[in-house]
Amino acid sequence: LAKTTQPISMDSYEGQEVNITCSHNNIATNDYITWYQQFPSQGPRFIIQGYKTKVTNEVASLFIPADRKSSTLSLPRVSLSDTAVYYCLVSSGTYKYIFGTGTRLKVLA
Amino acid sequence: ETGVTQTPRHLVMGMTNKKSLKCEQHLGHNAMYWYKQSAKKPLELMFVYNFKEQTENNSVPSRFSPECPNSSHLFLHLHTLQPEDSALYLCASSQDVSINEQFFGPGTRLTVL
């Protein structure tokens, strides 16, 4: 199972773009990369998922280099409501989802 | 978001009590999960059910007993718990047990006295 490493915390200001990088050096060929967002006392919420290159949806972009040993979640123009913990997961189709400690993002006014 | 509901939202119980947590998903999914989230710790996967069959028991103590009567409902029966079992218990569902995104409920905040 691929282990992930993320920064423990990050601070940003409203309106800025935030990039959170996750390292997963021993990612397997079948593994996908998924990011979740969690607010206090709530369950995590799916943000985005990708396998390689770049994926974009209405809330975020996910950049994955060719070697797939890392990935970067990009949140454009963050607001105060984006303050949350962000988790990077690497898993294949074996339902062994392992959440790491996540990155605590604090958005300042 | 009401796709996955959990009851109760808060529960306080003594170590000798027996209680049950309930999860219901209205998304037509086939897989359901129980997670435990202790303070300042990562989410820990406890159990996985796929089409009502348990496919994963992540070395969970027997004082936690899951039950999945159908694909829409999942229970976690609790008995003789310990104070260290106090945590947020989260239920999730997904279309199947592959890489599909999981939808989480709001959780049950459990306190064991």
Side-chain angles (χ1 to χ4, degrees):
Chain A
L1 297 171
K3 179 181 176 181
T4 60
T5 303
Q6 304 175 232
I8 294 175
S9 64
M10 295 179 66
D11 289 345
S12 180
Y13 287 95
E14 280 190 295
Q16 289 187 332
E17 178 184 77
V18 171
N19 295 308
I20 306 174
T21 297
C22 178
S23 297
H24 28 80
N25 291 319
N26 56 338
I27 187 169
T29 303
N30 294 333
D31 286 338
Y32 277 70
I33 300 158
T34 310
W35 286 79
Y36 283 84
Q37 174 193 56
Q38 186 179 25
F39 298 111
S41 297
Q42 294 185 27
R45 185 177 70 171
F46 173 90
I47 301 175
I48 198 166
Q49 184 179 78
Y51 183 79
K52 62 180 179 181
T53 64
K54 177 183 176 182
V55 180
T56 297
N57 62 23
E58 62 275 9
V59 297
S61 295
L62 178 59
F63 299 92
I64 305 170
D67 66 4
R68 303 196 332 118
K69 293 184 183 299
S70 67
S71 58
T72 299
L73 174 71
S74 181
L75 305 172
R77 298 178 298 282
V78 294
S79 64
L80 295 176
S81 61
D82 293 317
T83 294
V85 178
Y86 292 83
Y87 295 96
C88 163
L89 280 77
V90 175
S91 61
S92 63
T94 56
Y95 46 83
K96 289 189 182 292
Y97 292 97
I98 298 179
F99 285 77
T101 53
T103 298
R104 190 171 301 274
L105 172 66
K106 184 174 183 179
V107 180
L108 306 170
Chain B
E1 192 169 321
T2 58
V4 180
T5 58
Q6 290 187 243
T7 54
R9 294 294 309 277
H10 301 272
L11 178 62
V12 179
M13 59 186 289
M15 289 190 286
T16 58
N17 291 158
K18 290 184 179 181
K19 297 288 184 183
S20 296
L21 309 184
K22 179 183 176 181
C23 175
E24 183 174 1
Q25 58 97 359
H26 311 274
L27 302 169
H29 290 166
N30 297 310
M32 297 188 76
Y33 312 77
W34 278 117
Y35 286 86
K36 173 185 178 182
Q37 187 172 33
S38 303
K40 302 191 177 184
K41 287 187 178 180
L43 279 80
E44 303 171 49
L45 179 64
M46 300 175 72
F47 301 104
V48 179
Y49 277 81
N50 189 35
F51 289 95
K52 302 188 299 178
E53 298 298 319
Q54 186 181 126
T55 55
E56 181 79 11
N57 177 338
N58 201 22
S59 302
V60 180
S62 59
R63 57 185 183 270
F64 295 91
S65 175
E67 178 189 1
C68 189
N70 54 62
S71 293
S72 299
H73 293 86
L74 186 64
F75 295 89
L76 188 62
H77 304 299
L78 316 170
H79 66 97
T80 59
L81 295 191
Q82 305 298 312
E84 58 265 28
D85 295 322
S86 298
L88 181 67
Y89 288 84
L90 291 158
C91 173
S93 72
S94 63
Q95 185 60 48
D96 56 48
V97 292
S98 66
I99 57 174
N100 290 348
E101 66 179 279
Q102 293 187 338
F103 292 79
F104 283 81
T108 295
R109 174 69 63 186
L110 174 66
T111 302
V112 182
L113 301 176

